[in-house]
Amino acid sequence: MKHVRTALVILALVAGLGTLPPVHAGGNIWTRSSQGLWGGEVTALAISPAYGVDRTVFVGILGGVFTSTDAGLTWKPATSGASEMGVTALAVSPNFAADRTLFAGTYDGVFKSTDGGASWAPARAGIDTTWIRALAISPNYAADHTLFVGTWDGVFKSTDGGASWAAASTGMPDTSVDTVAISPNYANDRTLFAGCYYGVFKSTDGGASWASSSTGMPSSRALDSVVVSPGYATDRTVFASTTLALFKSTDGGASWKGTGLNDGTDMLVLSPAYPSDQTLFAGLPGEGVVRSTDGGATWTAPMKSGFTDLDLEALVISPAYPTDRTLFAGTLGAGVFKSTNAGSSWSAANTGFTGVVMGPLAVSPNYAADRTLFAGSAGAGCFKSTDGGFTWNPVNTGLPESGVWTLAISPNYASDRTLFAGTGDGMFRSTNGGNSWTAITTGMGDPIVQALVISPQYNSDRTLFAGTYLKGVYKSTNGGSSWAAVNTGLTRLDIEDLAISPNYAADRTLFAGTYLGGIFKSTNGGTSWNAVNSGLPTNWITVVAVSPAYATDRTVFAMASGSGGGLFRSTNGGTSWSPVGTGLPAGVEDLVFSPTYATDQTVFAATELGASVSTNGGFSWADMNEGLGGSGLLTLAFAPTSPRILFAAGGFSVWQYTFLPPRRCWLPVVPANWAR
C-alpha cells in the first residue's frame, strides 16, 4: 500500500518557463519548511527527574527524539547521531540535572546521550538482538551506572552506563520481555521485576537469577506493564497489567489480586507521593486516561476532554505531581497532550514537534493564484497550506482517526472548493476547501481506500474512482454521493494504485495496479477490465503513472515489487512492457511526469532514498538529494504554475527544493596597461 508510510516532505522544484531545464542547471538545495505540521505518532515519553526546575520532557518517535525545556510549550529535534532511530523506549538518569544522561531503546539497539539529547551514540555492545522493548535505570545510577533492557531475547544488564552488556535472564523462559521495573531501593534490595508472555518474574540479586512471581494471576497472563511503588521498601506494592486487567501485589509480588480496573494497559504511572495519596493513572487506548486515588480499588470514568486522538501510546507523570498535577500523554497520530489538573482535561502540546506521518498530496489547480495545497497523514488527519507549503493548519473536522491515505482535488476547485479523502474508514468529501468533511459511503460502505483518481472533466461528468483494499474499484458519477463497484474482469481486489488517462473523456481509459494480480486496464470507464501484464516479471504493482501526452505517445510507467521487480515502461498503452530505470534506487513510491514530457522526456521519482529524475523517458536516472539529509520521499504532485513547482511528501518535515537557471558569469574588460 504505497500511500501508507511514515513521513512528509515538501519538495519544490522551481524551473524556468515552459520546458524544464536540465536537472543540474544550478541550485539543487533543500531547505526545511514545516511550520504548522505539528503532532504525529509518539512511541515513547520520558520526563526529567528535575522537571519542577528544568521543565524538560522527551518524546520518542519513529525517526528520533524531540525535547522540550519549557514544559511542552515548544519542541526541538534532538537527533544528532541518531536521526533514523525508531525509538521504542526512553529512560532518564536520576541525576540528569548533573550528568545530562538519557538512553533510548530503538529497533537498532540502545543509544546514549550525555548532553541532554543534543547528540547520541550507540551503546549496545553485547546485546545480541536489536529490538529494545523496555528500559529501566537504577535509582542509584550516579554510583552504580546500572541499567537493564528488555528485548526479544530476554533481559540484558549493563553496569558501566551502557558501554557493555551481558545477558541477565537466568531462570526466565526463552521469550520476549516487554516491561522491566526496578525497585526504588535497588541499592539495598537488588530487586527488579520483568513482564513477559508467561507473567511476572522477579529478581532479588540484580538480575543474576529470576523466579516466576505470578501467583493469583490468570493462566493467560501476558504482561503489558509492571510498576513499582515509590514506597516499595515499606509498602511492598507492585502493579502489573495483563492484556485483560490490572493486578496489585502488596507483598513484593508473592501474590496478586485484581483491582477495580478490568482493562489491560501498557501505560501505568504512580504518583511520586503514592504512599500518601494512593494515586495512579492508566492510559486506555481508544478511551482516555483513568485515575484512582485509593490504590486501584476504584477508578474514574475515562478522562478525555481535550484529546483529539484517543489512540494513546505513552503516559508520564511529573516528579512534582503533588504540587503541579501534571501529566503528559502521547498519541498515535495527534502528538503530545498535557494535563495540569490531574488528568481531568487535556490540551495539545505540539508546537515544533514534527512527528506527523504524512503521505498524500493534492495541489489546487488554481495554485498560481491561491497557493493552496493539502497533505494527508496516517494519524493526524489533513493539513492545508495557503502559502505554497511554508505554513500549515489542520483541517480535520468530520474526518475519522484512521488516517488520510489518498487525496484528490476537483479540477474546478477555484469555484467548487471540493476535494476528496480516502481513509481507513471509506470516502470523505469537503465542499468548503477542507474546513469540514462528510462521509460519502453510499454503495461502498467503509473500506480502506488506498487509491483515488478524479476525471479531468469532473466539472461536467462528476466522475471519480476509488481503489480499495480487498474490495476492488468503486466508481461515482455524481461527485461521490453514491458509488458502485466496477470489478468485472479484475481477478485481484487489492488495489495498490490507480491512474486515469488525461484524455479520459474520449478514451475512457484507466489502469489499476494490484497486489499479486499485475496491471489491469479499462477502456470503457471501468465497466470491464483486462490484464495487461506482458513483459512484467512480477504481479505486485505498487505504482502506475500515465503520460500527460498519452493520446499520442501511449506511455505508461509501472513499478513492480518483489522478485524481478523494478521500473517498467509501456509505449503501446500497456500491451507490452520493457524494463527501464538504470540508476534508479529501489523502493520507488511514486512517479510524476513533467507536464511537458512530450518534449523534455522528464520523469521524477519519489523513493525511499529521496528524489530521482530521468530526462530520457525513464531509461536512466540521477539522484537530486543535496540537503535532504537522507529523508525518503513518498508522493509527488506538480503545481500548475510558472515557474513550475513540484511538491513531494516524505520524512517528518516539509522541505523545499529549488532548481535555479544556469548562472551567467560576466568578466570585466581589463585595460592592456592595467598591470603596469
Side-chain angles (χ1 to χ4, degrees):
M1 294 178 284
K2 76 167 189 168
H3 296 290
V4 185
R5 287 243 184 221
T6 58
L8 167 74
V9 175
I10 294 295
L11 163 67
L13 298 161
V14 182
L17 300 176
T19 301
L20 291 172
V23 171
H24 299 292
N28 297 354
I29 301 297
W30 292 82
T31 55
R32 186 188 300 265
S33 55
S34 55
Q35 184 76 19
L37 285 175
W38 311 144
E41 180 178 3
V42 174
T43 57
L45 279 171
I47 194 165
S48 166
Y51 173 82
V53 176
D54 64 26
R55 316 297 282 170
T56 298
V57 191
F58 299 93
V59 173
I61 64 170
L62 292 176
V65 176
F66 281 76
T67 183
S68 172
T69 55
D70 54 14
L73 184 64
T74 61
W75 300 86
K76 293 181 180 179
T79 56
S80 177
S83 60
E84 297 302 314
M85 65 184 184
V87 176
T88 55
L90 291 168
V92 183
S93 165
N95 200 37
F96 179 78
D99 63 25
R100 307 292 291 166
T101 296
L102 65 153
F103 295 86
T106 77
Y107 292 109
D108 193 29
V110 178
F111 286 76
K112 179 180 181 179
S113 173
T114 56
D115 54 12
S119 62
W120 298 81
R124 57 197 176 208
I127 300 177
D128 58 9
T129 185
T130 56
W131 188 352
I132 306 302
R133 301 179 65 82
L135 271 171
I137 192 165
S138 166
N140 199 38
Y141 177 81
D144 62 24
H145 290 81
T146 296
L147 61 155
F148 297 85
V149 294
T151 76
W152 275 110
D153 293 325
V155 176
F156 287 79
K157 177 181 181 179
S158 174
T159 56
D160 54 14
S164 62
W165 298 81
S169 299
T170 300
M172 295 186 70
D174 184 13
T175 187
S176 169
V177 172
D178 298 323
T179 179
V180 179
I182 194 165
S183 164
N185 197 37
Y186 176 81
N188 297 318
D189 62 25
R190 311 288 286 170
T191 296
L192 58 154
F193 297 85
C196 66
Y197 177 80
Y198 298 99
V200 178
F201 284 76
K202 179 180 180 180
S203 173
T204 55
D205 53 14
S209 62
W210 298 81
S212 178
S213 183
S214 300
T215 300
M217 288 188 174
S219 57
S220 175
R221 53 179 182 253
L223 260 292
D224 286 333
S225 60
V226 179
V227 180
V228 181
S229 165
Y232 178 80
T234 55
D235 65 23
R236 310 288 287 169
T237 296
V238 190
F239 290 89
S241 178
T242 71
T243 54
L244 300 176
L246 179 66
F247 290 81
K248 178 181 181 180
S249 172
T250 55
D251 53 14
S255 62
W256 300 84
K257 293 182 180 180
T259 66
L261 184 62
N262 294 316
D263 286 286
T265 179
D266 59 359
M267 292 163 281
L268 188 64
V269 295
L270 272 61
S271 163
Y274 175 82
S276 58
D277 66 20
Q278 295 288 287
T279 296
L280 63 158
F281 297 84
L284 304 181
E287 298 183 50
V289 176
V290 293
R291 178 182 65 227
S292 172
T293 55
D294 54 12
T298 61
W299 296 80
T300 65
M303 300 178 291
K304 51 192 174 184
S305 175
F307 278 115
T308 58
D309 181 1
L310 289 174
D311 287 326
L312 303 183
E313 296 284 302
L315 185 67
V316 293
I317 191 167
S318 166
Y321 172 80
T323 55
D324 66 21
R325 315 291 280 175
T326 295
L327 300 101
F328 291 88
T331 68
L332 181 63
V336 180
F337 289 80
K338 178 182 179 181
S339 173
T340 55
N341 56 9
S344 295
S345 61
W346 300 79
S347 58
N350 290 318
T351 300
F353 172 44
T354 53
V356 179
V357 181
M358 301 300 295
L361 295 170
V363 182
S364 167
N366 198 39
Y367 177 86
D370 63 25
R371 305 277 288 166
T372 296
L373 60 154
F374 297 86
S377 75
C382 188
F383 290 83
K384 178 180 182 179
S385 173
T386 55
D387 58 9
F390 287 98
T391 61
W392 298 82
N393 290 293
V395 284
N396 295 322
T397 302
L399 285 174
E401 294 181 4
S402 59
V404 174
W405 291 9
T406 183
L407 288 166
I409 194 164
S410 166
N412 200 38
Y413 176 81
S415 59
D416 65 24
R417 310 287 287 170
T418 296
L419 65 153
F420 300 88
T423 77
D425 292 301
M427 284 294 304
F428 287 76
R429 179 179 62 198
S430 173
T431 55
N432 55 13
N435 291 333
S436 62
W437 300 81
T438 303
I440 48 169
T441 56
T442 300
M444 174 190 287
D446 56 357
I448 297 173
V449 178
Q450 301 183 149
L452 187 60
V453 292
I454 193 165
S455 166
Q457 291 76 38
Y458 173 81
N459 190 40
S460 57
D461 64 24
R462 312 289 287 171
T463 296
L464 60 156
F465 296 85
T468 70
Y469 175 64
L470 299 181
K471 296 184 73 173
V473 179
Y474 286 83
K475 178 180 181 179
S476 174
T477 56
N478 55 12
S481 295
S482 62
W483 299 82
V486 286
N487 293 328
T488 300
L490 289 175
T491 58
R492 300 291 298 192
L493 298 181
D494 185 352
I495 309 300
E496 294 277 322
D497 201 12
L498 288 173
I500 191 167
S501 166
N503 199 36
Y504 175 80
D507 61 28
R508 312 286 285 172
T509 296
L510 302 103
F511 294 87
T514 70
Y515 176 66
L516 302 184
I519 297 178
F520 290 82
K521 178 181 180 180
S522 174
T523 56
N524 54 15
T527 300
S528 62
W529 300 82
N530 293 292
V532 286
N533 293 322
S534 178
L536 292 175
T538 176
N539 52 12
W540 181 6
I541 306 300
T542 56
V543 181
V544 184
V546 176
S547 164
Y550 178 79
T552 55
D553 65 22
R554 311 289 286 170
T555 296
V556 189
F557 282 90
M559 184 63 192
S561 294
S563 179
L567 184 64
F568 289 79
R569 186 180 80 163
S570 174
T571 55
N572 54 17
T575 300
S576 61
W577 301 84
S578 300
V580 291
T582 300
L584 183 65
V588 172
E589 302 291 346
D590 201 12
L591 294 164
V592 67
F593 287 85
S594 160
T596 50
Y597 175 79
T599 56
D600 61 33
Q601 294 289 287
T602 298
V603 191
F604 297 89
T607 80
E608 293 177 355
L609 299 180
S612 294
V613 63
S614 171
T615 56
N616 58 7
F619 283 101
S620 61
W621 295 76
D623 294 337
M624 42 187 242
N625 295 327
E626 186 176 350
L628 189 57
S631 179
L633 299 180
L634 177 60
T635 54
L636 300 165
F638 264 110
T641 185
S642 182
R644 203 160 283 138
I645 301 173
L646 175 67
F647 293 100
F652 289 96
S653 317
V654 176
W655 303 75
Q656 189 177 65
Y657 187 104
T658 304
F659 277 156
L660 300 177
R663 294 180 180 178
R664 290 180 173 87
C665 183
W666 298 95
L667 297 177
V669 176
V670 181
N673 63 353
W674 180 83
R676 295 176 183 175

